[in-house]
Amino acid sequence: MDIKERLNNIKNEINQAEEKSGRKAGSVKLLAVSKFHPAQSVIEAINAGHFLFGENRVQEAKEKFSNIKNDYNNVNLHIIGSLQSNKVNKAVEIADCIESIDRFELLCKIENQCSKLNKNIEVFFEVHTGEESKSGFTDKGQLIKCLDSLANKEFPHIIPQGFMTMAPFTQDEKLIRKSFITLRELSLEMQKNYKDLKLDELSMGMSGDYKIAIEEGSTIVRIGTAIFGERIYN
Ligand SMILES: *Cc1c(COP(=O)(O)O)cnc(C)c1O
């Protein structure tokens, strides 16, 4: 199967999962995660009509997407990997959205660079919801500090979208589901407390667990392997 066929398959599977869990058709977006795959694979996906992509490393994203974004102006790129502070400027340059906000300091650095470039950027707050995974907020107080600052309009170039998580790497479906439920409940609580912020997007679900994520309310699934094939790490 080529990338176009795999994309179509996944989109069908997503539609079926939406229907099965009583979700509105089209309520789940597909982020095609192209990390470790060449620009040519991204272009194949674009030619198949797909424009939403995710990369987890800033340097790789920049090398791959600088030209692509010049050539195709409706391509939308999300950074989904944990972001070192010294990579913020590059990330802001290349990305439309950063899904891996896991500390207050990042917001300060992002706002600073966005205001220099006069660019707005979307963000998700990554939350630690299961053992094993190391990334994401573990301290709710820190997350609240971020949301308070946004609510006080301290970061005018940063447009919050919602929350992101990675389920634990396990075969235990119960644990995976628990992680997604934790994120959804946190999201509902925060939406109630911050009515003026847009926080209703839930980025959860990968190739192995996206159907469970859709059942639990995901609005954006991040899928790499099932579209582009196995990654070859070297
Ligand atoms: C790589 C990655 C994905 C996609 O994983 P697959 O299992 O290949 O679908 C999703 N989210 C994050 C944060 C990733 O780093």
Side-chain angles (χ1 to χ4, degrees), residues 31 34 39 42 46 51-81 83-84 86-100 110 113-114 117-122:
L31 184 80
S34 50
V42 174
I46 292 170
F51 298 96
L52 182 58
F53 295 93
E55 284 281 340
N56 72 335
R57 296 195 304 194
V58 174
Q59 184 58 35
E60 181 183 346
K62 193 178 171 198
E63 283 163 16
K64 204 180 299 179
F65 277 87
S66 293
N67 288 335
I68 288 177
K69 289 195 108 196
N70 283 334
D71 295 347
Y72 305 91
N73 55 24
N74 43 354
V75 163
N76 191 298
L77 178 65
H78 289 203
I79 295 292
I80 58 175
L83 184 56
Q84 289 170 259
N86 62 0
K87 302 277 168 60
V88 163
N89 289 359
K90 252 186 209 159
V92 166
E93 256 175 62
I94 191 76
D96 302 283
C97 176
I98 298 173
E99 293 199 16
S100 39
I110 290 169
Q113 183 66 7
C114 279
L117 302 182
N118 195 21
K119 171 179 181 170
N120 289 346
I121 198 155
E122 297 182 344

Side-chain angles (χ1 to χ4, degrees), residues 37-177:
H37 292 280
Q40 188 50 43
S41 297
V42 174
I43 290 167
E44 267 183 60
I46 292 170
N47 288 335
H50 193 81
F51 298 96
L52 182 58
F53 295 93
E55 284 281 340
N56 72 335
R57 296 195 304 194
V58 174
Q59 184 58 35
E60 181 183 346
K62 193 178 171 198
E63 283 163 16
K64 204 180 299 179
F65 277 87
S66 293
N67 288 335
I68 288 177
K69 289 195 108 196
N70 283 334
D71 295 347
Y72 305 91
N73 55 24
N74 43 354
V75 163
N76 191 298
L77 178 65
H78 289 203
I79 295 292
I80 58 175
S82 38
L83 184 56
Q84 289 170 259
S85 299
N86 62 0
K87 302 277 168 60
V88 163
N89 289 359
K90 252 186 209 159
V92 166
E93 256 175 62
I94 191 76
D96 302 283
C97 176
I98 298 173
E99 293 199 16
S100 39
I101 304 297
D102 60 0
R103 56 195 192 279
F104 182 75
E105 180 207 6
L106 277 184
L107 287 186
C108 305
K109 294 221 151 90
I110 290 169
E111 174 59 33
N112 191 28
Q113 183 66 7
C114 279
S115 83
K116 278 184 197 153
L117 302 182
N118 195 21
K119 171 179 181 170
N120 289 346
I121 198 155
E122 297 182 344
V123 301
F124 285 68
F125 297 96
E126 182 175 2
V127 180
H128 185 267
T129 58
E131 300 310 310
E132 287 168 81
S133 158
K134 278 172 293 190
S135 46
F137 281 95
T138 48
D139 177 359
K140 207 161 154 186
Q142 285 294 308
L143 175 60
I144 286 172
K145 183 177 172 189
C146 293
L147 297 176
D148 282 344
S149 301
L150 281 161
N152 292 333
K153 303 191 190 321
E154 286 168 34
F155 302 122
H157 296 85
I158 298 181
I159 322 294
Q161 296 294 306
F163 300 92
M164 183 270 238
T165 201
M166 280 176 83
F169 293 102
T170 169
Q171 299 296 327
D172 187 342
E173 194 184 306
K174 266 204 200 117
L175 283 179
I176 294 171
R177 194 176 291 280

Side-chain angles (χ1 to χ4, degrees), residues 193-224:
N193 294 344
Y194 297 92
K195 292 219 161 61
D196 292 340
L197 299 180
K198 173 177 163 56
L199 292 171
D200 58 348
E201 301 284 346
L202 280 177
S203 173
M204 53 191 204
M206 309 180 14
S207 292
D209 57 21
Y210 71 93
K211 289 179 188 167
I212 304 171
I214 291 172
E215 286 171 20
E216 297 304 339
S218 173
T219 66
I220 173 164
V221 291
R222 310 180 306 268
I223 297 186

